[in-house]
Amino acid sequence: MNDLIKVEGLRTHFFTDEGVVKAVDGVEFSIPMGKTVCVVGESGSGKSMTGRSILNMIPYPGRVLEGAVHWRPNGAAPIDLLSLDPKGRAIRAIRGKDIALISQEPMAALSPVHTIGNQMVETIRMHLGLSKSEARQRAVEMLDKVGIPRPADRLDSYAFELSGGMRQRVCIALAVACEPKLLIADEPTTALDVTTQANILDLFRQLRDDMGVSILFITHDLGVVAEIADEVVVMYLGQVVEQGPVRQIFHDPLHPYTRALLGSVPRLSRNRKERLATIHGMVPSPFERPSGCLFHPRCDVAESGLCDRVMPALTRTPTGRAVRCVKAEASHE
Ligand SMILES: Nc1ncnc2c1ncn2[C@@H]1O[C@H](COP(=O)(O)OP(=O)(O)OP(=O)(O)O)[C@@H](O)[C@H]1O
Ligand code: SF4
Ligand SMILES: [Mg+2]
């Protein structure tokens, strides 16, 4: 097995005054060593909470109820990250060092009152135990690696003095400075303009190829998935509905939801007069989860009496793919 991480039966719910939100409801997938796995789905599908559950960092009133996150960084016996005390020393040593989180809003990750250099030096010293001058040297190397011009001068800058794209590069430099094995990037390019987005995606590819880092890349944008993914996990209402290698997901999607998502992506080759398909209906409120298959009210091929009654299981195909649809199961037997 060359999986760095294996998520099994993950359930993370929010206990709100209005009721229980099943943000993540039985999610499973693996991240191979040195590969990029993209988690994709519409807003509210549970992408961010899946990423945060891996580090057991769920905000109140949420809680990881069940599941395991088998972490196997050195080929040794795996550790279940969810079995560790969420406030304990062991998980804190992993957060920010072995597993780093990069979010959509870099300002949230950067201190407004400390220089970039001070923040980087502090983090590097804490996790790698280097001297101040060694940590400073490493900070300069990392800023250079992520494409920041005149990196030594930048150490004295504050985050607010930089553009959005440069701030995100600093966050990535901070994340990779301690040689993580896994980067969890939650919509890291969504707030950026198209050119900057393309440059940052290039940077993620380069980090995967040069440093061998694994990446869990969360996005709602299939254009981004096509650019960066090795493997794709498609989520809907807290469940994985399809998973597989990126080529197969794009060329031979098995799940009606994946097909609908792909149908709603603008393509350059599309005839201008051809209308862009959209997924009909809306994602239901988390308090009105449909019976049976969660996608059935929006599914073009739903079968009455079956799809509204039976919740399909996530079924693995012999070629290493997985799909949650009664019809796909039948056609792949
Ligand atoms: N603090 C919270 N309190 C209550 N419910 C929450 C909280 N955070 C998230 N949720 C709910 O959990 C579900 C999954 O949320 P999550 O943020 O993981 O979705 P997402 O796929 O990342 O969506 P987006 O694309 O909008 O970022 C949603 O229904 C959301 O409303
Ligand atoms: S199980 Fe039925 S409703 Fe659900 S995706 Fe498959 S065909 Fe559509
Ligand atoms: Mg999100």
Side-chain angles (χ1 to χ4, degrees):
M1 178 182 88
N2 62 351
D3 288 334
L4 175 65
I5 214 162
K6 190 165 187 214
V7 175
E8 281 178 347
L10 184 66
R11 264 177 234 286
T12 300
H13 294 178
F14 285 85
F15 298 88
T16 73
D17 291 344
E18 292 80 42
V20 178
V21 177
K22 296 181 176 177
V24 180
D25 205 33
V27 161
E28 54 185 73
F29 64 90
S30 303
I31 307 176
M33 231 33 118
K35 298 282 182 203
T36 299
V37 173
C38 274
V39 179
V40 68
E42 287 165 289
S43 185
S45 54
K47 305 181 296 293
S48 296
M49 293 309 130
T50 297
R52 296 183 73 96
S53 296
I54 289 177
L55 287 167
N56 216 339
M57 287 169 64
I58 296 297
Y60 181 84
R63 199 152 38 93
V64 178
L65 298 181
E66 265 178 53
V69 175
H70 301 293
W71 169 245
R72 200 171 185 241
N74 312 313
I79 311 168
D80 177 8
L81 298 182
L82 297 181
S83 71
L84 304 176
D85 172 1
K87 295 197 177 117
R89 201 178 264 217
I91 190 85
R92 277 191 286 129
I94 291 173
R95 285 183 198 137
K97 158 91 181 74
D98 292 330
I99 305 180
L101 191 63
I102 297 166
S103 74
Q104 177 176 345
E105 189 27 79
M107 271 318 257
L110 298 172
S111 161
V113 294
H114 296 103
T115 62
I116 283 154
N118 280 347
Q119 287 176 72
M120 290 190 73
V121 165
E122 181 95 346
T123 307
I124 293 168
R125 292 194 70 187
M126 181 168 78
H127 286 303
L128 297 185
L130 299 181
S131 72
K132 213 168 181 175
S133 65
E134 287 166 336
R136 212 177 150 80
Q137 183 55 36
R138 181 149 182 88
V140 173
E141 279 166 26
M142 288 299 126
L143 290 177
D144 188 41
K145 190 171 189 67
V146 301
I148 298 217
R150 293 181 289 108
D153 297 346
R154 278 296 165 216
L155 289 183
D156 298 324
S157 303
Y158 290 88
F160 64 82
E161 296 176 292
L162 305 178
S163 68
M166 284 297 155
R167 272 181 215 147
Q168 195 56 293
R169 283 178 195 270
V170 170
C171 282
I172 297 169
L174 197 57
V176 295
C178 301
E179 293 179 342
K181 309 269 187 324
L182 174 67
L183 288 179
I184 301 178
D186 191 351
E187 309 260 9
T189 60
T190 303
L192 305 174
D193 65 74
V194 180
T195 314
T196 314
Q197 173 170 323
N199 293 337
I200 298 279
L201 292 180
D202 266 345
L203 175 59
F204 275 105
R205 270 195 296 262
Q206 187 194 322
L207 293 172
R208 178 197 60 188
D209 296 343
D210 297 355
M211 295 175 78
V213 65
S214 301
I215 303 171
L216 181 67
F217 198 104
I218 295 169
T219 178
H220 63 273
D221 185 341
L222 276 164
V224 169
V225 176
E227 286 285 316
I228 197 162
D230 295 305
E231 280 278 316
V232 183
V233 172
V234 184
M235 285 188 70
Y236 188 72
L237 282 183
Q239 296 184 335
V240 174
V241 295
E242 178 160 6
Q243 171 259 310
V246 64
R247 269 175 177 276
Q248 297 183 20
I249 293 284
F250 276 84
H251 294 300
D252 175 30
L254 299 177
H255 198 282
Y257 180 58
T258 315
R259 288 203 288 269
L261 279 179
L262 286 166
S264 64
V265 179
R267 276 196 215 110
L268 290 176
S269 58
R270 208 183 272 272
N271 181 327
R272 274 195 206 164
K273 289 195 185 125
E274 196 184 332
R275 286 195 51 203
L276 197 61
T278 52
I279 308 179
H280 84 85
M282 305 226 309
V283 179
S285 140
F287 304 115
E288 288 163 12
R289 284 164 85 82
S291 59
C293 170
L294 298 178
F295 188 57
H296 88 260
R298 304 175 73 193
C299 180
D300 290 337
V301 290
E303 205 173 302
S304 162
L306 175 65
C307 296
D308 49 350
R309 292 205 184 141
V310 182
M311 160 81 77
L314 186 69
T315 307
R316 307 240 159 237
T317 72
T319 53
R321 304 179 65 180
V323 61
R324 189 189 285 278
C325 169
V326 283
K327 298 207 166 172
E329 276 167 41
S331 66
H332 278 262
E333 265 167 7

